[in-house]
């Protein structure tokens, strides 16, 4: 029977895509449950603390993925979003209130303000120029944190940041702080997933592909870059807030360029443009670093080597490969 | 008829080179106005000046009587001045349909919608569907640009332009690198879309230009040397000398 190929293809296509979406949601829900269940599976306190740090880096890496993966803006200074927030939240928690929501709000607003100011300049640029200027701005913030001792504690950083409180109750370190982090990660993931699938999110893909073409369909390229930069920094701010509570302090090293390099490598290894990939990258990074640093000093060499090999042989990262396998399990087209 | 789009005394120099020198055009609503001239005549520079990709040194651009000279590209699109590119520049990783939907959502002012799913923007999807229908690409809408033939890619550019609901659509050499059959397809399409938008067409194929244009402007070295209906242009000795003759010699 010679049915029109379109009629034949379209409907099963749609239902296949639908079933893949459902399967994806089930998988995500299971992953979320697993993350939340970790403290109840008899994990050691050490493991819990390490995983807390990994999930914080996961939030931070997702925030960078918005720039690198979705908008094509490679930032070499993303430690700024995180490090700046550690100081904003830390200083607020030490002097005003350690309420988690308030501290997070302060850090997010402060990060957004700095992102806005930064963005006024950097959104004129793309490519290498963007990368270098973000690096410079981050180094400026690093210098300020070192020099302005009365406010930031200089090289010692902030010491003695209290534990956060949630609804007036102190969050205990370990399992409780872990759960707070896990919930933050899940909320950030869901919001950002929504964002990248929104009409706004799709304009970012257009900007990444070709800025002139994007402008020619009516997209205000600079404004969109500015907005995504602010959202990215705000998300980085959430990570910075959790980090300052985890470490009970802030340190200028959080603003150092090496941190910018680490988070960029984590995001690329994890798989840019996937959101979940960078989270996996972060978990991998934190645990491997923990294992390797105890074995030998030159662990950064092995990390660098792994990064080079990964960029050469799996440029789409862990997330990209996982997505490809997932697509093969739930093919969209019958072929 | 009312003039939909008016360009007055446009100038653009690059150093000592007058790429566009005192060019004026008057495009009436629903007309196909073609711009021809040898390579380096300043046609693409003029396009870039009109569409906000370059700042003209002097001159004005009016759309339906409003001065739109200094607006940036994305605002010109909102006003209704839409362009395509000489080299196909569609978004490679999106399907043909998604390419057009992106434009349709932009037109509906959804670029800053953060919370809805892009795929749930019904009106935009329907507009995109209609654009693809008009250009005859609907059956291939699920394909990605790389899976489309060269001709189809150029047609996709036109569909993206149409989805932005332009007052005037500027097509930069839509038949570049096309076979005869494909060229005829584009020519028919341009004529067909002129009932919904004015068209300013830059084109090298003189046969196409003479057959589908209402008005033709001939440029050489940045200047307009002739302007008028096809019959008049094809008889103009100056034009034959500067352009039409040269094409015959160099025809492949």
């Amino acid at each position: 029977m010679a049915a029109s190929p379109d009629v034949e293809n379209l409907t099963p296509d749609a239902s296949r895509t639908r079933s893949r979406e459902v399967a994806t949601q089930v998988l995500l829900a299971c992953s979320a449950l697993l993350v939340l269940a970790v403290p109840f599976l008899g994990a050691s306190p050490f493991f819990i603390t390490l995983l807390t740090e990994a999930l914080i880096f996961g939030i931070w890496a997702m925030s960078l993925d918005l720039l690198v993966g979705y908008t094509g803006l490679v930032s070499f200074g993303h430690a700024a979003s995180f490090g700046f927030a550690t100081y904003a939240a830390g200083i607020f928690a030490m002097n005003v209130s350690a309420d988690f929501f308030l501290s997070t709000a302060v850090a997010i607003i402060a990060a957004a303000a700095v992102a806005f100011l930064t963005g006024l300049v950097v959104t004129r640029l793309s490519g290498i120029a963007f990368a270098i200027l973000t690096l410079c701005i981050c180094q400026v913030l690093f210098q300020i944190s070192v020099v302005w001792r009365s406010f930031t504690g200089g090289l010692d950083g902030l010491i003695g940041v209290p534990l956060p409180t949630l609804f007036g109750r102190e969050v205990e370190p370990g399992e409780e702080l872990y759960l707070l982090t896990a919930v933050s990660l899940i909320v950030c993931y869901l919001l950002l997933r929504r964002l990248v699938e929104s009409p706004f999110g799709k304009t970012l893909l257009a900007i990444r592909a070709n800025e002139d073409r994007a402008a020619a369909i009516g997209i205000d390229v600079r404004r969109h870059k500015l907005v995504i930069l602010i959202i990215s920094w705000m998300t980085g701010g959430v990570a910075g807030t959790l980090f300052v509570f985890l470490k009970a302090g802030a340190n200028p090293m959080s603003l150092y360029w090496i941190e910018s390099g680490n988070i960029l490598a984590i995001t690329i290894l994890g798989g840019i443009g996937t959101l979940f990939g960078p989270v996996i990258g972060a978990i991998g990074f934190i645990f491997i670093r923990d294992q390797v640093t105890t074995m030998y000093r030159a662990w950064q060499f092995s990390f660098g080597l792994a990064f080079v090999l990964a960029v050469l042989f799996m440029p789409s990262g862990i997330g990209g490969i996982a997505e490809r396998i997932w697509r093969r399990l739930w093919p969209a087209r019958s072929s | 008829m009312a003039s939909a789009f008016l360009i007055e005394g446009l100038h653009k120099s690059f150093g000592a080179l007058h790429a566009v020198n005192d060019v004026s055009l008057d495009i009436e609503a629903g007309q196909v106005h073609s711009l021809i001239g040898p390579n380096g005549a300043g046609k693409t520079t003029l396009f870039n000046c009109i569409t906000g990709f370059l700042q003209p040194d002097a001159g004005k651009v009016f759309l339906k009587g409003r001065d739109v000279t200094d607006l940036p590209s994305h605002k010109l699109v909102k006003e209704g001045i839409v362009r395509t590119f000489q080299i196909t520049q569609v978004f490679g990783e999106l399907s043909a349909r998604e390419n057009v939907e992106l434009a349709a959502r932009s037109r509906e002012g959804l670029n800053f919608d953060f919370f809805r799913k892009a795929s749930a923007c019904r009106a935009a999807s329907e507009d995109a569907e209609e654009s693809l229908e008009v250009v005859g690409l609907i059956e291939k809408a699920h394909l990605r640009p790389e899976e489309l033939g060269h001709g189809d890619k150029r047609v996709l550019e036109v569909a993206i332009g149409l989805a932005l609901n332009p007052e005037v659509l500027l097509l930069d050499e839509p038949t570049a690198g096309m076979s005869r059959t494909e060229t005829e397809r584009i020519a028919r399409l341009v004529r067909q879309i002129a009932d919904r938008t004015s068209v300013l067409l830059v084109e090298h194929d003189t046969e196409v230009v003479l057959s589908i244009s209402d008005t033709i402007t001939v440029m050489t070295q940045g200047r307009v040397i002739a302007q008028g209906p096809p019959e008049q242009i094809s008889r103009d000795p100056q034009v034959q000398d500067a352009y039409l003759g040269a094409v015959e010699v160099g025809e492949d």
Side-chain angles (χ1 to χ4, degrees), chain A residues 3 12 28 49 55 79 81 98 101 131 179 183 192 206 213 219 233 235 241 285-286 290:
Chain A
L28 286 174
T49 303
L55 297 191
S81 69
F101 292 117
L179 284 174
V183 170
L192 296 183
R213 194 68 185 84
I219 295 170
W233 274 57
T235 313
T241 309
F285 174 83
I286 296 291
D290 174 66

Side-chain angles (χ1 to χ4, degrees), chain A residues 194 197 208 210 213 217-218, chain B residues 78 89 93 106 115 118:
Chain A
R194 195 82 220 201
E197 283 173 0
R208 181 183 69 183
N210 186 332
R213 194 68 185 84
I217 61 167
Chain B
K78 300 237 148 57
Q89 297 194 357
E93 41 192 308
S106 174
F115 297 108

Side-chain angles (χ1 to χ4, degrees), chain A residues 67-282:
Chain A
L67 297 180
V68 180
Y70 288 91
T71 324
L73 293 171
V74 179
S75 169
F76 279 178
H78 204 55
S81 69
F82 182 81
F84 186 76
T86 59
Y87 279 98
I91 290 168
F92 181 81
M94 288 168 83
N95 297 301
V96 187
S97 156
D99 181 82
F100 177 70
F101 292 117
L102 274 180
S103 308
T104 309
V106 166
I108 286 178
I109 292 166
V114 180
F116 175 75
L117 293 175
T118 306
L120 290 181
V121 185
V122 298
T123 54
R124 292 172 186 275
L125 310 168
S126 45
I128 299 289
F130 179 90
I132 298 299
L133 195 58
T134 48
L135 173 66
C136 295
I137 289 168
C138 190
Q139 282 301 97
V140 169
L141 290 175
F142 168 72
Q143 287 300 335
I144 293 173
S145 73
V146 172
V147 174
W148 196 1
R149 300 197 52 168
S150 58
F151 198 56
T152 63
L155 277 173
D156 300 330
L158 303 176
I159 298 165
V161 174
L163 283 164
T165 59
L166 204 59
F167 308 113
R169 193 180 147 275
E170 190 165 272
V171 178
E172 279 170 34
E175 292 177 3
E176 285 191 11
L177 192 57
Y178 171 81
L179 284 174
L180 183 62
T181 305
V183 170
S184 303
L185 173 77
I186 291 165
V187 169
C188 285
Y189 176 83
L190 291 175
L191 286 174
L192 296 183
R193 174 97 269 154
R194 195 82 220 201
L195 178 79
V196 298
E197 283 173 0
S198 74
F200 174 80
K202 298 293 176 187
T203 66
L204 300 179
L205 294 182
I207 291 170
R208 181 183 69 183
N210 186 332
E211 292 192 5
D212 278 348
R213 194 68 185 84
I217 61 167
I219 295 170
D220 186 343
V221 174
R222 276 197 62 196
R223 228 169 108 201
H224 282 234
K225 280 189 190 171
L226 182 61
V227 169
I228 196 62
L229 189 76
I230 291 172
I231 293 174
S232 166
W233 274 57
M234 287 164 71
T235 313
V238 175
T241 309
L242 288 161
F243 193 73
V244 83
F245 286 129
L246 175 71
K247 298 286 178 186
N251 191 288
M253 291 318 282
S254 293
L255 282 163
Y256 202 47
W257 62 269
I258 289 178
E259 279 303 292
S260 297
N262 281 343
I263 200 64
L264 187 59
I266 286 170
T267 307
I268 292 172
L269 275 175
I272 56 169
T274 61
L275 275 191
F276 73 92
V279 178
I280 296 172

